[in-house]
Amino acid sequence: GAGVSQSPSNKVTEKGKDVELRCDPISGHTALYWYRQSLGQGLEFLIYFQGNSAPDKSGLPSDRFSAERTGGSVSTLTIQRTQQEDSAVYLCASSLATGSGSVAAFFGQGTRLTVV
Amino acid sequence: DAKTTQPNSMESNEEEPVHLPCNHSTISGTDYIHWYRQLPSQGPEYVIHGLTSNVNNRMASLAIAEDRKSSTLILHRATLRDAAVYYCILRDVGGTPLVFGKGTRLSVIA
């Protein structure tokens, strides 16, 4: 498709289970980002991939969170031993990466994660 | 990214113009001014961006002050579908993460 695709759109999981969230960025976009948005809150940056560089993991809230990006395209965000406070909408975005700020980022519709 | 300041909320009547302000007094010479919006239950959506000159696209116009310390997003005729949270963000290098503040929640009244 033409846009950023995320799956699943909704996920309900039991506390303590692991979950995987998937993001398919726009073709040709070398930068990929994950954000989290808890109910009624703002967007919280989690992790950022740029080409073959080491990812910027500075926003990951704990070591239960990890992400990878295979082949410079699809990314998977994994949350181990989920907790109720992990319940949120997880948003993925992608963009071109240039030396100027003149590039837009495009977001997927998000995965709504509910931990029960 | 440098900090921006926006009003928490604004209200507009349907079919009237809306001017959403943003202050960015610490903007650097290479920062682009970006606007995104987030409709209810959706991911953020790119609206417009500019550097120094005013910009127009099918969604909105962006008016940038001569000293670049402030900007205004203009929706020419607000519709109920424009009700959203609007974020003003400065970006100096493409590919680095966007830093979202609290934005302005726009309500549109029929």
Side-chain angles (χ1 to χ4, degrees), chain B residues 4-12 18-23 35-39 71 73 75 82-89 100-108:
Chain B
T4 63
T5 304
Q6 300 178 252
N8 289 334
S9 63
M10 290 185 66
E11 197 173 85
S12 173
V18 182
H19 291 229
L20 297 163
C22 180
N23 287 320
W35 284 82
Y36 288 75
R37 72 179 185 181
Q38 188 173 22
L39 279 64
S71 61
L73 179 72
L75 307 180
D82 291 321
V85 178
Y86 287 79
Y87 298 96
C88 170
I89 299 169
F100 287 82
K102 295 187 184 301
T104 297
R105 182 174 298 278
L106 175 66
S107 301
V108 180

Side-chain angles (χ1 to χ4, degrees), chain A residues 6-74:
Chain A
Q6 291 188 245
S7 61
S9 55
N10 282 285
K11 175 73 176 178
V12 179
T13 189
E14 292 181 352
K15 178 181 172 181
K17 300 282 190 184
D18 298 351
V19 294
E20 287 189 350
L21 312 179
R22 177 187 169 103
C23 173
D24 281 275
I26 293 172
S27 178
H29 281 191
T30 57
L32 185 148
Y33 328 81
W34 284 96
Y35 291 83
R36 176 171 74 172
Q37 189 169 36
S38 301
L39 187 62
Q41 302 299 309
L43 282 91
E44 175 189 5
F45 164 72
L46 297 177
I47 187 169
Y48 153 58
F49 295 90
Q50 169 44 37
N52 295 320
S53 302
D56 176 356
K57 304 179 182 180
S58 60
L60 294 178
S62 78
D63 59 7
R64 296 187 295 105
F65 288 73
S66 63
E68 62 178 24
R69 188 177 184 190
T70 54
S73 180
V74 171

Side-chain angles (χ1 to χ4, degrees), chain B residues 12-18 75-80 82 106 108:
Chain B
S12 173
N13 293 319
E14 196 177 13
E15 299 190 4
E16 291 189 355
V18 182
L75 307 180
H76 295 286
R77 284 183 71 213
T79 70
L80 296 177
D82 291 321
L106 175 66
V108 180

Side-chain angles (χ1 to χ4, degrees), chain A residues 10-19 64 79 81-88 90 112-116:
Chain A
N10 282 285
K11 175 73 176 178
V12 179
T13 189
E14 292 181 352
K15 178 181 172 181
K17 300 282 190 184
D18 298 351
V19 294
R64 296 187 295 105
I79 308 173
R81 306 181 301 283
T82 52
Q83 304 295 314
Q84 288 186 326
E85 61 262 30
D86 299 334
S87 296
Y90 289 80
R112 181 176 298 279
L113 175 67
T114 304
V115 182
V116 297

Side-chain angles (χ1 to χ4, degrees), chain A residues 69-110:
Chain A
R69 188 177 184 190
T70 54
S73 180
V74 171
S75 177
T76 303
L77 177 69
T78 300
I79 308 173
Q80 295 179 311
R81 306 181 301 283
T82 52
Q83 304 295 314
Q84 288 186 326
E85 61 262 30
D86 299 334
S87 296
V89 176
Y90 289 80
L91 290 153
C92 175
S94 71
S95 77
L96 297 170
T98 73
S100 84
S102 183
V103 290
F106 296 89
F107 285 77
Q109 292 303 300

Side-chain angles (χ1 to χ4, degrees), chain B residues 32-105:
Chain B
Y32 279 76
I33 302 158
H34 285 246
W35 284 82
Y36 288 75
R37 72 179 185 181
Q38 188 173 22
L39 279 64
S41 302
Q42 295 192 26
E45 172 187 33
Y46 165 78
V47 177
I48 199 167
H49 76 277
L51 183 63
T52 57
S53 303
N54 294 345
V55 184
N56 300 295
N57 66 21
R58 65 175 180 80
M59 291 181 70
S61 296
L62 176 60
I64 301 173
E66 194 170 335
D67 64 5
R68 302 209 325 125
K69 293 183 185 298
S70 66
S71 61
T72 303
L73 179 72
I74 303 166
L75 307 180
H76 295 286
R77 284 183 71 213
T79 70
L80 296 177
R81 293 187 68 251
D82 291 321
V85 178
Y86 287 79
Y87 298 96
C88 170
I89 299 169
L90 301 183
R91 197 168 204 204
D92 60 356
V93 177
T96 53
L98 295 166
V99 177
F100 287 82
K102 295 187 184 301
T104 297
R105 182 174 298 278

